[in-house]
Structures are given as C-alpha cells and as structure tokens.
Amino acid sequence: MGALTLVIGDKAFSSWSLRPWLALRQTGAAFNEVWVPLRRLETKAAILTHSAAGKLPVLHHGAITIWESLAICEYLADRFPEAQLWPADLEARAFGRAAATEMHGGFPELRRALPMDLTRKPAFLPVTPEVAVEIARITELWGLLRRRFGAGGPFLLGQFSIADAMYAPVCTRFDTYRVPLDTTCQAYVEAVMAWPAMQAWRAEANGGKA
Ligand SMILES: N[C@@H](CCC(=O)N[C@@H](CS)C(=O)NCC(=O)O)C(=O)O
C-alpha cells in the first residue's frame, strides 16, 4: 500500500497534529514524519505542497493523501482494524464519534484562551465565564463516557480510542493551565499524560526532555 508519512506542525503547539499522531502510533505501523515549522513566512507555501486545504496535519499513504485530523484518524481506523481505534460496541462507538466530532468542531473559547503549549511551565490561569462553560461541558462529557463505557481501562471508552486522541490536547491544556477538575477527570488527564505515546510526543516537543 506504500509508505505512511504524517506531515505535522511543531510538537509543542500543533494540537491538531498530535491527534492523528497518537492514533498512528497506536496502530503500531511504521511511519515517517515530516515537520513543517509553523508561524513562519514560508509556512503556508510549505503546507500547500502537501494539501490544497493549507492546514496540517496531512497523511500520505502511498498515492493517497488525507487531510483533516479527524478524517485521518478515521482512515487509520478503517485501514488498521486490528488496532481497534474504535471499540466494537456500537453504542460506545457512536458516543465516541459524537465526542470526537464535538471536539473537532467546538470549544473555540477554550482553544483560544488556553492554547496547547508543551514548553510552558504549568501554572494556574484564571478563565473567563465563556471558557468555564466549555470546560464544564467537556468535564460533563468525560464523566458520562467514563461512567458508561470506561470499565475496561483508564480512557474515555475504556481502552484507548480516537476519542482520547481527539481530547489529548485538551488534557495537555488542563495540565498546563492547572484547570481544577473533579477526581474522575483529573484521573483521566493523568492517564492520558502518562500514556507512553503522549510522553514521547511531549519529550520531542521539549527537544528530547519530557
Ligand atoms: N480542521 C483542521 C485544523 C488544522 C489546523 O488548524 N492546523 C494548524 C496547525 S495546528 C495549521 O495548519 N496552521 C497553519 C496555517 O493555518 O497556516 C484539522 O482538524 O486538521
């Protein structure tokens, strides 16, 4: 089928790149990474050589090119069914997909006010009421998923799934900005931050030091 190459932005800041990178790691497939530095004059032109959409991440698989983080994750789930990027249970899959889509299309205030920055020293940051509303929705959703589907492991649907890949950057934000959480959500954030693939990404974002 050809080589797998994931084109990504800076590991410290590119939250959209982190999501499919985690899913791809979970497949166990060998893949190449191409790094396009963000926030430079030449960034847009470099991205456009990979995708007409002009955004990262982009996955090349042989002659196939897929853009949009969630579409890349779904492609990986289809291409590597043995990796079980979605659980077999239809209800859990549907809830996981709804949660992933809600993340992909939502939470703009949180994303603006608490950007992913893995180089930043963790410290509490007060948030606006608008951001607090989005945080409350995320924690309500995480609590629901953990209670309903989480018995088989520490992640939203028990075992690691695309839903966790989609919320992993939110976990880094909650960790970096020391967002106060209930015990269920705090345990979930800690599980994601301790996930070996997440630790590997974070170490690379900090030049080899986690
Ligand atoms: N909806 C897109 C969002 C991608 C996105 O905004 N990527 C940022 C990097 S995290 C980007 O490409 N920024 C560079 C630019 O806009 O020129 C996805 O899910 O992949």
Side-chain angles (χ1 to χ4, degrees):
M1 187 60 228
L4 278 163
T5 301
L6 188 65
V7 188
I8 58 174
D10 305 81
K11 284 189 169 156
F13 314 114
S14 186
S15 58
W16 295 111
S17 300
L18 168 60
R19 296 168 165 113
W21 189 91
L22 288 173
L24 191 45
R25 281 283 294 243
Q26 185 66 6
T27 68
F31 67 98
N32 307 306
E33 279 177 38
V34 171
W35 169 46
V36 176
L38 299 173
R39 304 171 187 173
R40 294 192 188 170
L41 283 177
E42 63 274 20
T43 296
K44 190 55 92 180
I47 297 173
L48 286 169
T49 66
H50 294 283
S51 163
K55 296 280 182 195
L56 298 174
V58 174
L59 180 73
H60 299 295
H61 191 191
I64 301 175
T65 295
I66 305 121
W67 69 103
E68 287 290 331
S69 55
L70 186 51
I72 296 170
C73 291
E74 291 287 1
Y75 175 78
L76 295 171
D78 290 341
R79 179 60 71 186
F80 299 100
E82 66 285 357
Q84 297 184 311
L85 293 175
W86 287 122
D89 178 70
L90 280 189
E91 188 187 356
R93 280 171 95 93
F95 272 67
R97 282 201 163 106
T101 311
E102 191 174 342
M103 175 68 250
H104 193 237
F107 309 121
E109 301 297 331
L110 174 86
R111 296 199 343 246
R112 213 177 353 260
L114 307 182
M116 185 172 102
D117 183 353
L118 293 171
T119 64
R120 189 174 169 132
K121 192 163 173 278
F124 173 72
L125 189 74
V127 298
T128 63
E130 292 77 15
V131 175
V133 166
E134 293 187 355
I135 291 171
R137 169 58 193 154
I138 291 169
T139 55
E140 174 196 45
L141 177 62
W142 287 0
L144 167 74
L145 296 175
R146 288 287 304 137
R147 277 192 307 279
R148 196 147 166 174
F149 305 108
F155 297 108
L156 293 176
L157 306 177
Q159 298 299 308
F160 181 88
S161 76
I162 288 171
D164 303 298
M166 292 306 291
Y167 282 93
V170 175
C171 293
T172 76
R173 290 169 162 112
F174 285 1
D175 182 54
T176 299
Y177 302 102
R178 293 291 188 248
V179 173
L181 297 170
D182 61 38
T183 51
T184 299
C185 292
Q186 185 62 38
Y188 173 62
V189 167
E190 285 170 17
V192 170
M193 297 308 291
W195 185 244
M198 185 68 234
Q199 293 219 333
W201 174 280
R202 188 156 66 155
E204 288 162 27
N206 285 284
K209 299 186 290 294

